[in-house]
Every structure is written in C-alpha cells, then in structure tokens.
Amino acid sequence: MGIIILRFGELHAGNLKVHFIDVKQGDAILIQYEGENYLIDSGKNLSSNKLINYVDSVGVTTLNACLITHPDFDHYGEFEDLIESGLFNIEKFIRNKNISTNVSYIRLTNLLQTENILVDSVDHENDLNWSMTTDILSPNYDNGFSGMNNNSIVIKMSLGEIDFLLTGDSVEDNNQYLLDTYDLDAEVLKVSHHGGLNGTSETFAAEVSPIVSVISSGNNSYGHPSQTVIGLLQDVGSLIYSTADDWNTWWINGGNGSDDISLDDDILVETDGENIWVNDELVWSSFAIDEEYAGNAFLNVSPNPFKNSVAIQYSVKQSGNVKIDMYDLRGRLVKRLLNEHKNTGSHEVEWSAEGMRSGIYFCRFVHGNKEEVRKIVLIK
C-alpha cells in the first residue's frame, strides 16, 4: 500500500546551496551548484569587506556570473571592490536595462569595460542558462513601470520539487504583474525590498506560500522589515529568517520577538530537490506520493487558502475504505477526519481548523491502495 512518508535526505556536496549574506541594509546572494558559482547583488561597499571575505571563505575562485537586480547602491555597491580584489575570475555581469547616473554605477560600468568583463542586459524574454532551472520573470519593459524597484530582475529558480523566488526590490506594480502572469508558488522566498511594506501584500504572501522566508536587512531608517509583512508571512505559516545582527536591530526596524523568526546573520539554505536545510538544520522534507492513480477517486479542497474551515470533496468510483488525514508542515499528523467504508458516489467532509495555527497543511486521501495529497493554506 502506498503511504506518505518524509524523505529525510542528507546534507552533501551536491546540494544546491544558496547563501544569503549579511551585508547589513542590502542584498547579496551567493548560489552554488554543480561546481558553478553565481552572485546576485553585492550590498554596499562596507569597510569590513564582508562580501569579499565570505565568498573567498567558501572556496570560490570563479564567479560564473554576477547579477545586479537593479542599479540601487545597496545592491551593487561592493562589486567594484570585489573586482579590484583580484581574488575571483569573473566570467560575466548580468543587469537589467535600467541605467543609473550615480557616479558609483558609472565607475562600476567603466571598470567592467577596463577589465574586459562581458556584460549582458536582460529582461523577461532572456535566459540565464545557469546550471539549475532558472526563469527570469521580470522586468517586462512593455509594462512601462517607472522606478528602479519596479524593474528589478525577479528570478524563479528550481531544483526538483523545490522552488526559490528571488525578488530583488520588486514592489507593488511589478508584484501585481507577477501575480497576474506567473505561478509564484515557491518553497523559499527572498522577501522583497528588505521586508518593506510595499514589497509584500497579503495576496502575494498567500500566492507564494513559502515554507522558508529570508529577509535581508540591517539597521535603517525606512522601517525595514515591516511588522505587517512579518505578520503576513507568519499567517501563511512561513519560517522566517533574517540577516539582522541582533534582536535590538530587528525591533528598531519594526520586527518583533517570535519563535517563528531566526536572526542568523549569514543564512545558508540548501536543497537536494526534495529537502530543505537552513544553516544545517533540516526544516522541510517533501512528501513521497504514489502518483500512479487508477481513477477510483477524485479529491478537491475548497476554499484554498481558507480562514476557518475547508470543505474536502471526493468521489468514490468503487466502494471501499476511505481515510482522510491532515498533516502539518513538518509531516506530523494533526487530525484524522475520516477512516470508514464509503459507497460509490460523491462525498464531503469538513475540517474546522479551530485552535490551529496559520500555515501550510496537507490533506492526505487514501482509498484502497491509492492516495492523493493536496497542499492547503490556513490564514487567520
């Protein structure tokens, strides 16, 4: 009989590694997979050379691509020092088609020319051709959005069952375009605009429904991260990680103390395509589901997301025992809704989530030796 199990994989060198580097109020993401290294954004040019030292410390000698999501200084400011350090062979730079007149950006552009580093300008129609599946979702310049943030390069990156949504500083207009155009469901979210209020709406959080959310921010005067955004991510059950240095910095910027939030400075997210580790701790394992289904039943859950209760509708084409169980994000059984003989026909059972926390749950339906699973989101 097919059953739901958790595949507890092991950390190994072949995992996709995504390093969210603490560069204070800025973004810097190092991606490593199959011997290749990609650096998305750099943060500002900190006197501590944090980015350079970090990338060097994990054994990187070649950067197959450096990508600037948009020309704001807290996303490109350290690239000049990184190039001039001479520690890394940089194969190419990737940027969007927005040009900044900032002196530091012009200086970086001139340095790339001097060093004969290839520069590609991209939008949603281009491919990155990286060693894992990557799709550029934006910018789409046909939208005519103004402002640097609304033209951020947004990437959806996938390995096996695990998707990453890397949002740069994408804000309201571009986020609505993304919602209208793409399937944004992802297990790992780089929270847009350092957790700013204009980077994540209730609809956006629900559509992505991330298992892991990473906020890259430091001490600032912008109110990043927004406590509202933190609440929206908690409402969909996401585990929240921040590059903030300490709780004092987090509280000053609008955060709050919670068991759902980890302040870890540098954050390493790894996956083998089925499991997710954060800083070497296993936080998620995909359900192993018998996908071969003979057509003896049909399962639907509605509404999804839901607030108080959800209707689970199913059809049985051959009478027999039916079992319906609810599991939480970690694969723990939280409620057995049904375990009895059912005759041929359509049936419905309701799950009242009173007393349950907001978050991601799984409805498991078993009929005979076949099963189906549906992911559902509880928002209170």
Side-chain angles (χ1 to χ4, degrees):
M1 177 181 293
I3 60 172
I4 291 182
I5 61 172
L6 291 179
R7 296 174 179 161
F8 292 105
E10 296 181 356
L11 283 166
H12 57 80
N15 285 351
L16 168 63
K17 298 182 179 181
V18 183
H19 307 252
F20 297 88
I21 304 168
D22 176 17
V23 290
K24 311 307 178 187
Q25 182 65 14
D27 275 10
I29 304 169
L30 174 66
I31 300 168
Q32 297 182 288
Y33 186 58
E34 293 188 340
E36 298 202 343
N37 306 288
Y38 311 98
L39 183 59
I40 299 179
D41 291 333
S42 71
K44 301 177 182 179
N45 59 335
L46 301 176
S47 59
S48 64
N49 291 323
K50 171 60 186 291
L51 176 69
I52 296 170
N53 293 335
Y54 185 97
V55 175
D56 184 47
S57 72
V58 295
V60 173
T61 57
T62 295
L63 287 166
N64 301 91
C66 293
L67 184 148
I68 303 172
T69 57
H70 62 296
D72 276 348
F73 188 64
D74 59 336
H75 290 255
Y76 72 81
E78 185 70 357
F79 275 130
E80 186 177 355
D81 287 347
L82 182 137
I83 295 168
E84 291 180 336
S85 73
L87 293 172
F88 313 104
N89 171 37
I90 301 172
E91 295 185 350
K92 72 161 62 172
F93 257 74
I94 300 167
R95 64 186 184 189
N96 66 10
K97 298 178 181 180
N98 291 79
I99 302 299
S100 172
T101 58
N102 189 295
V103 171
S104 60
Y105 190 78
I106 294 172
R107 194 167 58 238
L108 173 60
T109 301
N110 292 337
L111 179 61
L112 292 170
Q113 292 176 341
T114 300
E115 297 294 327
N116 294 315
I117 297 174
L118 176 68
V119 178
D120 284 343
S121 297
V122 302
D123 61 18
H124 72 293
E125 294 182 332
N126 298 111
D127 296 320
L128 291 175
N129 296 315
W130 289 0
S131 57
M132 74 296 292
T133 301
T134 49
D135 294 307
I136 300 175
L137 308 188
S138 74
N140 180 347
Y141 288 102
D142 291 340
N143 291 325
F145 295 148
S146 61
M148 297 295 187
N149 292 345
N150 267 321
N151 288 300
S152 285
I153 295 176
V154 175
I155 297 169
K156 192 168 188 181
M157 179 174 69
S158 304
L159 182 69
E161 301 297 320
I162 306 301
D163 297 323
F164 291 73
L165 187 63
L166 307 176
T167 55
D169 274 0
S170 181
V171 290
E172 290 110 332
D173 291 340
N174 194 57
N175 285 353
Q176 189 59 54
Y177 159 73
L178 296 173
L179 287 167
D180 293 341
T181 309
Y182 299 103
D183 174 10
L184 298 182
D185 183 75
E187 283 68 35
V188 181
L189 171 67
K190 199 292 292 186
V191 181
S192 185
H193 202 202
H194 318 289
L197 185 59
N198 59 355
T200 305
S201 65
E202 180 178 1
T203 302
F204 195 89
E207 286 296 316
V208 180
S209 60
I211 295 162
V212 171
S213 297
V214 179
I215 300 174
S216 184
S217 67
N219 200 6
N220 65 87
S221 60
Y222 309 112
H224 298 164
S226 161
Q227 194 158 344
T228 298
V229 170
I230 295 166
L232 293 174
L233 294 169
Q234 289 175 321
D235 284 346
V236 298
S238 188
L239 303 171
I240 302 173
Y241 296 82
S242 171
T243 61
D245 294 325
D246 52 47
W247 283 112
N248 186 50
T249 301
W250 182 263
W251 273 315
I252 288 173
N253 295 335
N256 56 7
S258 171
D259 292 338
D260 296 328
I261 300 170
S262 296
L263 304 185
D264 289 286
D265 294 341
D266 306 311
I267 298 164
L268 172 58
V269 180
E270 296 186 57
T271 183
D272 57 4
E274 295 178 348
N275 307 282
I276 300 172
W277 294 264
V278 179
N279 290 346
D280 297 337
E281 177 188 1
L282 181 68
V283 300
W284 166 256
S285 286
S286 298
F287 282 104
I289 303 170
D290 180 3
E291 295 182 352
E292 181 183 355
Y293 188 62
N296 289 331
F298 171 78
L299 177 66
N300 183 56
V301 292
S302 179
N304 188 18
F306 73 104
K307 289 189 175 181
N308 298 308
S309 62
V310 60
I312 300 162
Q313 300 138 351
Y314 60 98
S315 297
V316 176
K317 295 183 179 180
Q318 182 177 338
S319 61
N321 193 74
V322 172
K323 183 162 62 174
I324 298 178
D325 293 326
M326 304 303 301
Y327 291 82
D328 68 10
L329 186 64
R330 301 293 181 93
R332 296 171 295 198
L333 178 67
V334 297
K335 182 70 174 180
R336 173 153 291 168
L337 298 178
L338 188 69
N339 186 17
E340 62 185 57
H341 183 90
K342 288 293 181 181
N343 293 325
T344 301
S346 298
H347 306 271
E348 180 175 315
V349 63
E350 182 179 280
W351 180 40
S352 174
E354 183 178 356
M356 304 300 297
R357 296 181 61 183
S358 297
I360 298 169
Y361 293 87
F362 293 88
C363 175
R364 177 199 180 202
F365 171 93
V366 178
H367 176 60
N369 64 348
K370 301 298 178 183
E371 65 185 65
E372 291 189 28
V373 173
R374 295 290 183 270
K375 174 183 172 182
I376 58 177
V377 179
L378 169 60
I379 301 176
K380 290 191 173 181

